C-alpha cells in the first residue's frame, strides 16, 4: 500500500500575553526594533546538519539571509553544548556532578529551560520529570552502550527521580539537586526550547517566513509562500511506524507547532523485546501502554515537547483528558495506538483529515470513557 509523503510543517508563533504594562511595552519595543523582513522567495535558503543525535534542517524563505541560517546553526550548537548531558563543559553535567553538594549558577540561556522543565514536571503530576537522568543514563537507549538494566538497578535509581528536590533560585539563577546521585535530563523538552530560540533569532534578523525542523520538532514561520488565501501550511501528522515525512493524515495550520513523540524514534531490541527510549519516571522503565505516537499542536514548541512526553505516561484516556483541558491555551493532540487507531482532541476534529490509504482508522469514542 503506497503511503502519501508529506513534509511535516507546523508554525509556532510565540504570543506574549502582557501581565503588566511594563511587559507589554517591552514586547512592543522588541518588535519595533526588529528589522523589516526582506522579500519572500519560493526557493528557500536551506541547510541540513546532524546534531543532538538527529537531523536538523532550517529553511528560510526571505531573500539574502544565508548568513542568518549560518548564525542559527551556531546558536543551536552553542545551546546544545550547554544542555546536553555527558558533554564536555556542559552546564547540565556540572549541575549533575554537584548533586547533594552545592548549587550551581547557570547561564541566562539555560535557566529559562530549567524553569519550563520544572513547570511541566509539576503541571503533569510528574508524568514529565526533569530529574529522570538517573534512569535515562542507566538504560542509555539511543547510544552504542544501551542495555537492559537489572530490576535491582532500576529500583535503586528510580528513587532518585524527584523533581521536587530540584531547587531553583530565580535571583541567583542557580540550581541545586538536593540528593546525591540525582541527575537532570532535559531531552524531553530541550529541542522544543531550542526551536523557539531559533524562531526568535530569525525574527531578530529580518526573517518572517521559515521552516525550523529539529528532528520532528517543527516550527514554521509566516504564511505559506505558495500564496494560499488563508496562508495556511499543510501539516502532516507523522506515521509512527515509518520514516520521517510519512504521514497518516494532515491538517491546515498557521502560527502553530507540531511536535511528535513516538516509540519508533529510538529503541533497544534485546532478547526478542523492543524497549522504547521514552521512560516512565514512576517505574524507571519504558512506558507500558497502547500508545505508539502522540503529536502535539501548540503555540510554542517548548510546550509541545514537554506535553508530548507527559501524555505518553498518562496513556490514551488520561492523555486525552489532559490535552482537552488545555484547549483554551491553543493546545491540541492526535494520538495513535499500537493497533493503528487514531484519536483526535476536541479542538482538532474538524481540521484533521485521515488519509484513507494508510491502514489507520479512527478509534471509537467509547475508548476514551
Amino acid at each position: 500500500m503506497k503511503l502519501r509523503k508529506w513534509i511535516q510543517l507546523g508554525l509556532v508563533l510565540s504570543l506574549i500575553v502582557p501581565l503588566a504594562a511594563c511587559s507589554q511595552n517591552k514586547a512592543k519595543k522588541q518588535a519595533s526594533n526588529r528589522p523589516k523582513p526582506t522579500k519572500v522567495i519560493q526557493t528557500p535558503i536551506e541547510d541540513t546538519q546532524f546534531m543532538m543525535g538527529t537531523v536538523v534542517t532550517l529553511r528560510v524563505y526571505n531573500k539574502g539571509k544565508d548568513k542568518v541560517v549560518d548564525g542559527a546553526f551556531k546558536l543551536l550548537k552553542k545551546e546544545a553544548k550547554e544542555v546536553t548531558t555527558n558533554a564536555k563543559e556542559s552546564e547540565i553535567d556540572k549541575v549533575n556532578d554537584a548533586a547533594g553538594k552545592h548549587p550551581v549558577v547557570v547561564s541566562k540561556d539555560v535557566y529559562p529551560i530549567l524553569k519550563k522543565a520544572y513547570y511541566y514536571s509539576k503541571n503533569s503530576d510528574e508524568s514529565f520529570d526533569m530529574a529522570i537522568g538517573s534512569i535515562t543514563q542507566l538504560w542509555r537507549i539511543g547510544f552504542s552502550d544501551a542495555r537492559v538494566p537489572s530490576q535491582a538497578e532500576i529500583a535503586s535509581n528510580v528513587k532518585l527521580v524527584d523533581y521536587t528536590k530540584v531547587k531553583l533560585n530565580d535571583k541567583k539563577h542557580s540550581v541545586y539537586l538536593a540528593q546525591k546521585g540525582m541527575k537532570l535530563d532535559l531531552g524531553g523538552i530541550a529541542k522544543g526550547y531550542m526551536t523557539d530560540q531559533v524562531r526568535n533569532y530569525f525574527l531578530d534578523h529580518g526573517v518572517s517566513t521559515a521552516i525550523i525542523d529539529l528532528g520532528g520538532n517543527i516550527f514554521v514561520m509566516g504564511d505559506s509562500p505558495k500564496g494560499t488565501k488563508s496562508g495556511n501550511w499543510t501539516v502532516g501528522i507523522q506515521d509512527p511506524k515509518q520514516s520521517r515525512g510519512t504521514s497518516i493524515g494532515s491538517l491546515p495550520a498557521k502560527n502553530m507547532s507540531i511536535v511528535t513523540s513516538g516509540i519508533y524514534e529510538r529503541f533497544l531490541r534485546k532478547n526478542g523485546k523492543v524497549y522504547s527510549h521514552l521512560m516512565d519516571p514512576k517505574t524507571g522503565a519504558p512506558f507500558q501502554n497502547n500508545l505508539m505516537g502522540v503529536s502535539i499542536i501548540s503555540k510554542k514548541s517548548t510546550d509541545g515537547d514537554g506535553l508530548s512526553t507527559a501524555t505518553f505516561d498518562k496513556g490514551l484516556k488520561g492523555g486525552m483528558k489532559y490535552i482537552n483541558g488545555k484547549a483554551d491555551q491553543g493546545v491540541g493532540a492526535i494520538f495513535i495506538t499500537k493497533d493503528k487507531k487514531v484519536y483526535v482532541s476536541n479542538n482538532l476534529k474538524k481540521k484533521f483529515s485521515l488519509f484513507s490509504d494508510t491502514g489507520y482508522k479512527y478509534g471509537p469514542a467509547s475508548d476514551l470513557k
Side-chain angles (χ1 to χ4, degrees):
M1 187 177 294
K2 186 176 180 181
L3 298 178
R4 303 183 188 183
K5 304 277 184 176
W6 290 72
I7 297 176
Q8 286 192 319
L9 301 177
L11 171 60
V12 178
L13 180 59
S14 190
L15 299 179
I16 301 175
V17 180
L19 300 179
C22 59
S23 61
Q24 185 177 31
N25 293 336
K26 183 179 179 181
K28 288 182 178 180
K29 184 176 180 180
Q30 182 183 31
S32 63
N33 288 339
R34 284 170 171 159
K36 184 178 180 180
T38 54
K39 180 182 178 181
V40 173
I41 55 180
Q42 293 296 312
T43 303
I45 301 162
E46 66 177 281
D47 190 11
T48 298
Q49 297 184 24
F50 186 80
M51 56 189 300
M52 300 177 294
T54 192
V55 177
V56 176
T57 299
L58 303 179
R59 298 184 180 94
V60 170
Y61 289 84
N62 291 89
K63 186 176 181 180
K65 296 298 179 179
D66 304 67
K67 291 183 178 180
V68 176
V69 173
D70 295 338
F73 270 107
K74 289 180 181 178
L75 173 66
L76 285 172
K77 290 174 181 177
K78 175 179 176 291
E79 295 199 348
K81 184 179 179 181
E82 292 171 343
V83 301
T84 301
T85 54
N86 296 323
K88 188 176 181 180
E89 300 301 317
S90 163
E91 292 193 39
I92 299 304
D93 270 349
K94 291 178 181 178
V95 172
N96 291 343
D97 290 343
K101 301 175 184 177
H102 57 80
V104 174
V105 176
V106 298
S107 66
K108 63 179 181 180
D109 292 328
V110 172
Y111 195 74
I113 190 175
L114 292 171
K115 290 283 288 184
K116 202 68 175 180
Y118 191 93
Y119 167 81
Y120 274 111
S121 297
K122 183 177 182 179
N123 182 262
S124 67
D125 294 324
E126 300 177 59
S127 291
F128 173 99
D129 197 309
M130 66 191 298
I132 192 74
S134 62
I135 291 300
T136 55
Q137 288 300 304
L138 186 64
W139 287 79
R140 299 281 294 168
I141 294 179
F143 298 91
S144 59
D145 57 347
R147 67 187 182 92
V148 179
S150 68
Q151 285 301 315
E153 288 177 298
I154 293 174
S156 176
N157 281 273
V158 77
K159 295 177 182 178
L160 299 170
V161 181
D162 185 354
Y163 84 94
T164 65
K165 294 180 180 178
V166 179
K167 308 301 180 182
L168 301 177
N169 188 310
D170 292 348
K171 185 175 291 186
K172 296 181 179 180
H173 277 198
S174 67
V175 55
Y176 174 55
L177 307 185
Q179 186 174 352
K180 187 176 180 180
M182 286 183 67
K183 294 182 184 295
L184 297 178
D185 187 334
L186 302 180
I189 202 168
K191 287 197 299 181
Y193 178 77
M194 293 165 70
T195 299
D196 289 336
Q197 292 297 95
V198 171
R199 180 253 178 188
N200 289 333
Y201 178 84
F202 278 168
L203 288 175
D204 289 341
H205 289 80
V207 172
S208 63
T209 308
I211 301 171
I212 304 166
D213 183 354
L214 269 66
N217 285 59
I218 312 296
F219 192 123
V220 181
M221 296 173 57
D223 290 349
S224 168
K226 292 183 179 180
T228 58
K229 186 176 181 179
S230 64
N232 285 331
W233 301 79
T234 299
V235 180
I237 300 303
Q238 175 69 37
D239 185 335
K241 303 190 75 172
Q242 300 294 328
S243 59
R244 288 286 181 191
T246 304
S247 304
I248 65 161
S250 68
L251 72 163
K254 183 171 65 172
N255 299 341
M256 298 298 285
S257 161
I258 305 295
V259 175
T260 300
S261 286
I263 59 176
Y264 64 91
E265 292 180 292
R266 297 197 307 273
F267 57 86
L268 171 64
R269 195 183 300 275
K270 191 76 172 180
N271 299 326
K273 292 185 178 181
V274 177
Y275 300 89
S276 167
H277 77 291
L278 295 170
M279 294 288 161
D280 187 336
K282 298 179 180 67
T283 66
F287 291 122
Q288 295 296 321
N289 56 46
N290 196 35
L291 289 179
M292 183 164 57
V294 177
S295 292
I296 302 292
I297 292 83
S298 60
K299 297 175 181 179
K300 287 189 177 182
S301 192
T302 309
D303 296 325
D305 219 359
L307 288 169
S308 67
T309 303
T311 51
F312 253 95
D313 177 74
K314 297 180 182 300
L316 177 61
K317 292 182 182 179
M320 185 65 81
K321 182 179 179 180
Y322 182 53
I323 294 300
N324 279 333
K326 293 184 178 296
D328 61 341
Q329 300 172 33
V331 174
I334 297 167
F335 294 78
I336 304 172
T337 57
K338 293 175 183 176
D339 53 356
K340 304 190 77 171
K341 293 179 182 177
V342 179
Y343 303 82
V344 184
S345 61
N346 294 336
N347 57 353
L348 296 180
K349 287 181 178 179
K350 294 182 179 180
K351 298 179 180 179
F352 177 70
S353 297
L354 180 64
F355 298 154
S356 60
D357 57 354
T358 61
Y360 290 86
K361 296 182 179 180
Y362 287 112
S366 58
D367 289 348
L368 300 172
K369 296 181 179 179

